[in-house]
Every structure is written in C-alpha cells, then in structure tokens.
Amino acid sequence: MARDSVWTRRCHRAERLRTDYPHVGALLAFYGDVLALQEPIHARARKSDWLPAVEAPDGRRPRLRLEQLPARPRERDFPRFVRSVPASATEVLKAIASRLAAEPAAMSDLLAAVLAREPVDAVAARIDCDAAALDFFPRAFVQPIAEALSTEAPRDTHPGGNGRGPGGDAGGDATRAVCPHCGAAPLAAVLRDEPEIRGRRTLLCSLCQSEWTFPRTRCPACGEERAEKRPHHVSESWPHIRLEECGSCRTYVKAIDLREAGLAVPVVDELASVELDLWAGEQGLSKLQTNLLGM
C-alpha cells in the first residue's frame, strides 16, 4: 500500500534536515520513529468508528469533540502505542512508558485528561514523573487521530486550497487564535504567497495540523498589533524561519516562510529549529505552544 503523501513528506523532510543539521540528528531520528508509529494510527482513524467525534460546524465551538472518542478503541490502541516507544526515545520517556504499562488505570486516566483538555499533573504525581514528559504519550497518540478526523469534518475551504494543511484553510473567524476544528493552540505560523494574497499568514494547529488565516500583524496570544511591540528575528542558520516576538505578553511563535524555502514542511522545520527556542528562552520569552517533543 502506498504511503500517505503527507507522512512521506514529513519523513523525507526529517531525513533531509538530519543531513543539513547534524546537531539535531538524534532528535530528528526519534521524531522519524514517532512518525512511523503515528502513520498507521492516522490510517486506521480514517476508517474507524471514531467519526462520532466529528460534529457539523455551528460557529460556536470546535468541530472535533475528541472527548467523545469511543472508549473501546481508546483502551485498545493507546496502550499499544505506549508499549511501542522506540529505542531512540530518551531514557526519561522509556521509564515513563514502563510505569504506564504497569498501571493501566493511570494510562486510561492520562488519555481521558488530555482528551478533556485537563492537566496531567495528577497522573504524573501518581506515577512519579515529570508532567511535561508524560504529556508526550497522549499528545503523540491523539495527534494523528485528530488530523485524520479533521479531514472528515465539514468546513469552509479557501479557494484554491484543499480544506486543510498546506494551502488549505480551516475557515472560521479569522480573529480566533485557537483552531476552529479542535480548539487547540497554534504551534506556528506559516507564510506563503497566493495569487490574490502576498505573504498570506496562517496559523498551524498544534494538534490536528489544520491551518486558518490570521492577521500578520496580530499576536495570537494577546492580540497586540502595534508594530513596535511585534519585532521578528531571523538567524543565519534558519533563514526561512522567523521568530515573531510580542513585547506586550512576552510570548513568541515561529513563522515558517515557504516563500524562502518551498520544500520546508512547517511541523518538521519548527521542531528541528530548536536553537531558536533556546535563544528565545534566554531572552525571557515563552513559547505560545510547545511542539510534540515539549520544546
């Protein structure tokens, strides 16, 4: 069976960046292994009985109701995912996977908390681990499911787009800084030229990977629009990624400029450019939303 082109592009991009940026080779090797685990979950979700979690748009709430994912496939597939933690994972993640496998009830509670958008701190305390590291497992598991179901959800598409992902638009209110499909925060911004809009800016969902249009001048965290409060920074090592700072709320997002690097895959390039996150932390900035690996 042919691989989904989206996953193929992500895997190929991760391999290319491993060659171009060897200092993040280990990180990208792990991410590549995670992609290999996520791809079959994505394929099964599109053919599964999980579609009741998709609702028609009503303009008031997200279209994906992930807390409504049926219990049976959740209880079957999530433990399988946790037990499949790759050898390339950190020792911290391997230890957490072992503790979760030994406590099925904690594993179930962990996934339920994430689907309900509740903190995982209680489960972390229960199995004595770091909450941020623990969050990797449910987030990595739910992400391909949300992405698959988002393609099934009714939506308004941007002319010339495919309704989601690169070139597509999740529709909804352009002033909203949360995904109109699943309600998650944006991971990054994406810049591209289109026939009628030069430098169009979309926000990329940190969960279902949908994109929606958002004003280029506006901070997605606090709404600040004053130019003097919205500087951006570009490094020589990642010239197609600019770090968009907000001087009012002291948050930042990365913007992947596809006009500068047409072969970039935003979710992969965002994750690989870890030195930009380190620099931002040194400046006292907080990331609006961490990526899958908690950075």
Side-chain angles (χ1 to χ4, degrees):
M1 179 183 296
R3 298 185 66 186
D4 187 301
S5 60
V6 171
W7 297 89
T8 299
R9 289 183 66 237
R10 290 174 188 168
C11 290
H12 287 175
R13 184 61 176 172
E15 284 298 319
R16 174 59 187 270
L17 293 179
R18 284 183 67 184
T19 300
D20 293 346
Y21 300 90
H23 63 286
V24 289
L27 181 150
L28 288 172
F30 173 56
Y31 181 59
D33 290 340
V34 172
L35 289 174
L37 293 175
Q38 289 182 321
E39 184 179 8
I41 296 173
H42 178 269
R44 286 197 301 271
R46 297 186 69 176
K47 302 174 182 177
S48 73
D49 55 355
W50 291 10
L51 290 181
V54 181
E55 294 185 352
D58 64 8
R60 296 187 300 275
R61 63 181 184 178
R63 303 170 189 182
L64 299 189
R65 310 300 294 172
L66 294 175
E67 71 279 5
Q68 296 179 13
L69 290 176
R72 185 172 180 180
R74 283 163 51 176
E75 294 171 358
R76 177 193 65 213
D77 293 344
F78 184 49
R80 182 185 303 164
F81 177 80
V82 172
R83 289 193 294 267
S84 299
V85 61
S88 57
T90 64
E91 293 304 316
V92 170
L93 290 180
K94 291 176 184 177
I96 292 175
S98 296
R99 294 177 191 177
L100 286 174
E103 295 198 37
M107 199 181 312
S108 178
D109 291 346
L110 171 64
L111 183 58
V114 168
L115 292 176
R117 302 192 183 283
E118 296 174 353
V120 302
D121 302 73
V123 180
R126 200 156 121 200
I127 64 172
D128 189 25
C129 71
D130 177 68
L134 177 65
D135 189 60
F136 163 79
F137 291 96
R139 185 170 173 185
F141 174 71
V142 173
Q143 188 178 75
I145 296 169
E147 186 170 358
L149 296 183
S150 75
T151 67
E152 306 295 331
R155 70 184 69 207
D156 298 323
T157 58
H158 183 274
N162 61 8
R164 66 163 311 284
D169 194 326
D173 184 352
T175 65
R176 296 173 63 191
V178 296
C179 177
H181 270 290
C182 69
L187 171 66
V190 182
L191 302 174
R192 54 170 66 85
D193 283 340
E194 295 186 353
E196 297 181 358
I197 305 176
R198 309 294 290 179
R200 178 171 178 252
R201 182 201 198 199
T202 58
L203 296 182
L204 173 68
C205 179
S206 59
L207 185 60
C208 74
Q209 304 295 297
S210 293
E211 292 182 34
W212 67 102
T213 303
F214 196 79
R216 284 190 63 172
T217 59
R218 183 174 299 160
C219 170
C222 71
E224 177 63 75
E225 292 188 284
R226 289 175 292 176
E228 66 272 18
K229 291 288 187 178
R230 301 279 292 124
H232 64 266
H233 313 277
V234 179
S235 74
E236 292 183 0
S237 55
W238 296 92
H240 66 289
I241 301 179
R242 71 183 199 181
L243 192 146
E244 297 181 345
E245 172 188 344
C246 179
S248 292
C249 66
R250 303 297 291 162
T251 63
Y252 75 94
V253 295
K254 296 177 189 174
I256 290 74
D257 194 337
L258 298 183
R259 301 168 301 175
E260 296 291 333
L263 296 179
V265 177
V267 66
V268 182
D269 289 56
E270 193 287 326
L271 182 145
S273 53
V274 63
E275 58 260 46
L276 301 185
D277 297 299
L278 296 175
W279 179 86
E282 293 171 353
Q283 310 311 307
L285 300 174
S286 299
K287 198 171 191 178
L288 177 60
Q289 173 63 55
T290 58
N291 56 38
L292 183 62
L293 302 189
M295 296 180 291

